């Protein structure tokens, strides 16, 4: 069965990025009722700490060394997470902006799955090469500030360039960003930003 993977990255019950994801997925289910939607909730699902055997495994791979048993087990956890992603024909990431970037759980997810021989490889002549195939991907990014219209009062968005680069590094370049913000401040501006993002998401869902 064709699959959409949803990486859900806000821990909040009244999350704006999750609300945007619900609008998108409602439309997507109507457009493609036969698709499987696989939800990875980064705050509920178990994710390995990137320490000990799993980080050693990364260095062993990079240095062309064989794994010991613990490293093999650590790498297998990364493999399971990466395979879940790679089996999806479509990807939806809904995430808050936290401290100019992404929540640490989403960074942890990237740190675990970006592994040599799994999602990228190094070629001495060509440099770093992605191992995953490209696939349509949407990132819903909720922020207290307004990054959609540029009224960001001098605040910085490092989430968008980070996500674009991290996904491109493993092979996913077909990425569209849907900012939702401001989600803080005057109620009217929050409502307008939410409504405009939801309209856009409902439209995108029909053709995703
Ligand atoms: C720890 C933390 C850091 C934040 N940092 C930023 C930031 O750097 N820029 C910004 O515009 N908003 C920031 N915010 C506000 C959130 O982006 C905003 O509340 C957003 O709606 C969160 O997404 P969610 O509603 O999906 O949980 C921060 C919020 C938290 C809790």
């Amino acid at each position: 069965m064709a699959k959409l993977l949803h990486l859900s990255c806000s821990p909040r019950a009244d999350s704006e990025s999750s609300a945007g994801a619900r609008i998108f997925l409602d439309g997507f289910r109507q457009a493609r009722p036969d698709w499987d939607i696989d939800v990875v909730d980064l705050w509920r699902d178990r994710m390995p700490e990137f320490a000990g055997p799993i980080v050693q495994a990364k260095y062993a791979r990079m240095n062309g060394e064989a794994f010991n048993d613990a490293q093999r087990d650590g790498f297998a956890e990364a493999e399971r997470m990466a395979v879940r992603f790679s089996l999806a024909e479509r990807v939806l990431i809904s995430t808050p902006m936290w401290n100019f970037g992404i929540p640490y759980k989403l960074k942890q997810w990237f740190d675990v799955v970006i592994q040599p021989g799994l999602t990228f490889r190094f070629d001495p002549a060509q440099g770093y090469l992605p191992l995953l195939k490209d696939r349509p991907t949407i990132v819903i990014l909720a922020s207290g500030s307004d990054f959609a219209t540029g009224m960001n009062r001098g605040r910085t968005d490092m989430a968008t360039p980070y996500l674009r680069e991290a996904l491109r590094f493993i092979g996913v370049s077909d990425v569209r960003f849907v900012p939702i913000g401001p989600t803080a401040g005057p109620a009217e501006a929050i409502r307008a930003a939410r409504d405009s993002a939801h309209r856009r998401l409902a439209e995108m869902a029909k053709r995703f």
Side-chain angles (χ1 to χ4, degrees):
M1 190 188 269
K3 185 174 96 157
L4 176 146
L5 182 89
H6 175 202
L7 283 184
S8 178
C9 312
S10 174
R12 299 193 320 121
D14 50 356
S15 150
E16 293 283 357
S17 57
S18 305
R22 280 195 297 277
I23 295 287
F24 181 85
L25 290 173
D26 285 351
F28 185 82
R29 276 193 202 93
Q30 278 183 24
R32 297 182 184 267
D34 50 328
W35 277 51
D36 177 32
I37 295 172
D38 182 16
V39 184
V40 178
D41 182 335
L42 294 184
W43 295 91
R44 293 213 172 138
D45 294 10
R46 211 195 78 76
M47 233 191 317
E49 288 294 323
F50 194 67
I54 193 166
V55 66
Q56 291 161 11
K58 177 159 187 165
Y59 280 81
R61 268 275 164 102
M62 290 193 300
N63 297 328
E65 295 160 9
F67 288 160
N68 62 30
D69 287 348
Q71 290 165 357
R72 193 171 303 110
D73 290 347
F75 195 82
E77 287 202 76
E79 207 160 13
R80 275 194 291 278
M81 284 166 53
V83 165
R84 201 165 164 189
F85 182 90
S86 74
L87 289 176
E89 282 88 350
R90 300 282 185 279
V91 172
L92 172 68
I93 300 174
S94 59
T95 182
M97 178 185 295
W98 275 4
N99 298 317
F100 322 109
I102 55 172
Y104 57 89
K105 287 281 183 185
L106 181 53
K107 179 64 165 53
Q108 184 181 349
W109 186 88
F110 278 109
D111 288 342
V112 173
V113 302
I114 299 183
Q115 293 275 4
L118 186 59
T119 49
F120 79 92
R121 70 186 178 90
F122 181 74
D123 177 272
Q126 300 177 75
Y128 291 98
L129 298 170
L131 287 179
L132 299 188
K133 69 174 168 43
D134 201 2
R135 68 208 68 207
T137 295
I138 289 177
V139 176
I140 302 172
L141 177 61
S143 57
S145 299
D146 175 0
F147 290 98
T149 62
M151 299 287 289
N152 63 16
R153 299 184 191 185
R155 292 175 78 182
T156 306
D157 169 16
M158 289 190 276
T160 303
Y162 174 79
L163 288 168
R164 204 177 275 295
E165 182 60 16
L167 289 164
R168 189 202 58 77
F169 189 74
I170 59 177
V172 180
S173 306
D174 182 359
V175 184
R176 280 177 291 166
F177 285 81
V178 180
I180 304 182
T183 65
E188 186 45 45
I190 296 175
R191 198 176 313 115
R194 182 190 298 130
D195 288 352
S196 141
H198 285 192
R199 271 196 304 276
R200 197 174 155 206
L201 287 164
E203 275 307 308
M204 289 166 95
K206 293 180 195 162
R207 294 180 305 276
F208 190 50

